[in-house]
């Protein structure tokens, strides 16, 4: 339970269908692309393969996120011109397994960015932190990938950066990002965030989760620069737009319930307009708080963007989910006592809605 004076830590997400990179983020992408391509390549391409007037006009007034993140990739360049760029930049999405190459990059990042000593950083720690995952790596017939992955950035074959991602139904969740100190000046954090948002948009995942957001933590504030973004209220599980008003509330310090504040503002606004209609501030059907005295019925009602809907969960056999207690493994349907099964059902719905039915079919839940 948070103390009343503690600031609130919230989870942030970006709807990639609405994502609009800022000028600074666009400049970081362009700066990285120019470095990879090289001035000679850019000059020769403009001379030998000039763009049409319509293309120049479109580039001037429209920013295409997906085209921009792929522009410096060697695979893209090969399909456009026979000219060779300054560097061969390749990005691969691979399962989150351990390699010595990845560990060396991680060790460099932890020492030079986070200031950790060599004695603190270990291979076992790296495996536990960024390689071991309960999510099974799989893909649908259409090629959509699910599970824990490493998105590896290589220049001329050398691993220079890596994103750690969880790909879930409708969600790309950014877990961690590391880069080598040699590339610290290229704002790769901004480049990677734009690339991950593009991955979600291009792959049909829709939402890009950026993890925890804390207004009083300078290291987490950058997440508020990607938007339009929303924050999850830890009390009501409602999403609130991360706009100027919410940031002002968070700047005030202390613990707040963003959803409650939003409803207070709505009521105040309606009162100022002298309206006579009722304001429905707690409709359980809309994912809000239940009225005082009303019991929660155990169904999944949080409405979190990116999770499966009740209709998508309807055909799933929750009784087939495997649970392991000590050395004994059983299916939920074999658990004795209807009360225990009913209690589990609500929790299992939230888990399956989050990880997807394909994962849930093979997963085993461990209980102490």
């Amino acid at each position: 339970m948070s103390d009343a004076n503690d600031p609130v830590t919230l989870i942030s997400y970006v709807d990639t269908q609405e994502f609009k990179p800022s000028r600074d983020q666009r400049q970081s992408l362009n700066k990285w692309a120019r470095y990879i391509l090289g001035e000679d390549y850019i000059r020769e391409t403009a001379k030998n393969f000039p763009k049409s007037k319509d293309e120049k006009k479109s580039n001037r007034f429209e920013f295409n996120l997906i085209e921009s993140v792929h522009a410096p990739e060697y695979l893209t360049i090969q399909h456009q011109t026979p000219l060779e760029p300054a560097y061969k930049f390749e990005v691969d999405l691979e399962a989150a397994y351990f390699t010595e190459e990845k560990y060396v990059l991680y060790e460099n990042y932890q020492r030079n960015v986070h200031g950790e000593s060599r004695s603190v950083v270990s291979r076992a720690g790296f495996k536990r932190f960024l390689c071991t995952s309960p999510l099974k790596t799989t893909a649908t017939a259409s090629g959509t990938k699910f599970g824990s992955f490493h998105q590896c950035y290589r220049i001329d074959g050398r691993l220079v950066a890596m994103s750690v991602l969880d790909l879930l139904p409708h969600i790309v969740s950014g877990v961690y990002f590391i880069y080598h100190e040699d590339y610290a000046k290229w704002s790769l954090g901004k480049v990677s965030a734009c690339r991950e948002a593009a991955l979600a948009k291009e792959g049909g995942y829709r939402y890009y989760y950026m993890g925890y957001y804390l207004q009083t933590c300078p290291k987490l504030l950058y997440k508020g620069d990607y938007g339009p973004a929303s924050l999850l209220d830890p009390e009501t599980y409602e999403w609130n737009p991360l706009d100027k008003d919410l940031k002002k509330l968070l700047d005030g310090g202390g613990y707040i319930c963003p959803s409650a504040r939003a409803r207070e503002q709505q009521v105040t606004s309606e009162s100022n307009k002298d309206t006579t209609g009722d304001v429905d501030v707690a409709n359980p059907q809309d994912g809000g708080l239940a009225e005082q005295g009303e019991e929660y019925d155990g169904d999944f009602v949080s409405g979190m963007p990116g999770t499966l809907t009740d209709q998508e969960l309807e055909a799933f056999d929750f009784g087939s989910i495997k649970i392991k207690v000590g050395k004994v493994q059983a299916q939920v349907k074999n658990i004795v006592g209807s009360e225990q099964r009913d209690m589990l059902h609500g929790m299992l719905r939230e888990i399956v809605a989050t990880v997807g039915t394909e994962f849930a079919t093979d997963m085993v839940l461990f209980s102490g």
Side-chain angles (χ1 to χ4, degrees), residues 166-180:
D166 285 339
L167 305 186
L168 303 171
H170 316 306
I171 300 170
V172 169
S173 178
V175 178
Y176 208 61
F177 178 72
I178 58 179
Y179 57 85
H180 196 277

Side-chain angles (χ1 to χ4, degrees), residues 25 67 178:
Q25 292 156 13
E67 287 185 3
I178 58 179

Side-chain angles (χ1 to χ4, degrees), residues 21-289:
S22 66
R23 180 181 180 184
D24 182 54
Q25 292 156 13
R26 296 196 302 268
Q27 289 177 338
S28 295
L29 286 172
N30 291 332
K31 182 180 178 181
W32 176 246
R34 293 191 74 89
Y35 165 70
I36 294 296
L37 299 176
E39 296 303 325
D40 290 342
Y41 173 88
I42 295 173
R43 183 171 54 253
E44 289 300 313
T45 300
K47 177 181 177 181
N48 296 303
F49 306 95
K51 294 182 178 180
S52 66
K53 290 183 179 180
D54 289 340
E55 288 177 320
K56 292 180 179 179
K57 183 178 180 181
S58 177
N59 291 339
R60 188 179 304 116
F61 295 103
E62 297 179 11
F63 179 81
N64 188 307
L65 175 65
I66 294 176
E67 287 185 3
S68 295
V69 300
H70 291 308
E73 294 177 11
Y74 193 68
L75 185 61
T76 301
I77 295 169
Q78 283 184 309
H79 288 88
Q80 292 180 340
T81 74
L83 302 176
E84 288 292 315
Y87 302 100
K88 185 178 181 180
F89 177 52
E90 298 171 295
V91 180
D92 297 310
L93 190 65
E94 56 190 49
Y97 53 79
F98 173 88
T99 67
E100 187 66 19
E101 178 188 40
K102 294 175 183 177
Y103 172 70
V104 170
L105 177 66
Y106 171 76
E107 190 268 345
N108 177 274
Y109 178 81
Q110 294 300 112
R111 283 193 300 104
N112 292 285
V113 176
H114 289 287
E116 295 184 356
S117 64
R118 289 182 183 272
S119 60
V120 174
V121 184
S122 68
R123 288 170 177 79
F126 170 62
K127 290 179 182 178
R128 184 174 57 253
F129 180 32
L130 299 177
C131 298
T132 303
S133 170
L135 300 180
K136 177 184 176 183
T137 301
T138 185
T140 64
S142 62
T144 302
K145 297 180 179 179
F146 299 116
S148 296
F149 290 85
H150 291 160
Q151 189 176 50
C152 299
Y153 298 47
R154 290 185 172 87
I155 293 181
D156 294 339
R158 176 194 178 192
L159 183 65
V160 300
M162 185 178 79
S163 292
V164 182
L165 307 173
D166 285 339
L167 305 186
L168 303 171
H170 316 306
I171 300 170
V172 169
S173 178
V175 178
Y176 208 61
F177 178 72
I178 58 179
Y179 57 85
H180 196 277
E181 62 177 324
D182 292 349
Y183 297 87
K185 70 176 182 179
W186 297 108
S187 303
L188 287 181
K190 296 175 184 177
V191 173
S192 68
C194 289
R195 288 194 64 94
E196 289 158 24
L199 172 64
K201 184 174 184 178
E202 189 175 18
Y205 297 95
R206 181 63 186 270
Y207 299 104
Y208 173 39
Y209 276 28
M210 300 191 73
Y212 291 117
Y213 177 89
L214 183 59
Q215 190 78 4
T216 57
C217 179
K219 289 185 177 181
L220 299 181
L221 278 179
Y222 74 92
K223 298 177 183 181
D225 297 332
Y226 297 85
S230 297
L231 300 182
L232 183 66
D233 192 310
E235 290 189 21
T236 67
Y237 295 104
E238 295 175 87
W239 291 95
N240 293 264
L242 182 57
D243 52 22
K244 293 181 179 179
D245 291 336
L246 181 52
K247 287 183 178 180
K248 186 176 181 180
L249 287 174
L250 296 173
D251 278 333
Y255 181 82
I256 67 167
C257 176
S259 300
R261 292 295 182 93
R263 284 193 287 270
E264 289 174 6
Q265 292 176 349
Q266 179 182 358
V267 172
T268 301
S269 176
E270 293 295 331
S271 299
N272 291 338
K273 292 179 182 178
D274 293 324
T275 58
T276 58
D278 294 332
V279 180
D280 185 4
V281 298
N283 184 356
Q285 299 301 320
D286 293 333
L289 286 172

Side-chain angles (χ1 to χ4, degrees), residues 297-338:
D297 62 8
D299 287 334
F300 182 77
V301 295
S302 66
M304 183 183 293
T307 56
L308 299 181
T309 63
D310 286 338
Q311 290 75 18
E312 291 174 308
L313 292 172
E314 188 173 350
F316 184 75
D317 180 13
F318 287 91
S320 66
I321 293 178
K322 296 178 282 291
I323 295 181
K324 190 170 185 178
V325 181
K327 295 182 179 181
V328 179
Q329 180 173 306
Q331 291 183 312
V332 171
K333 61 186 177 183
N334 296 325
I335 295 177
V336 177
S338 60

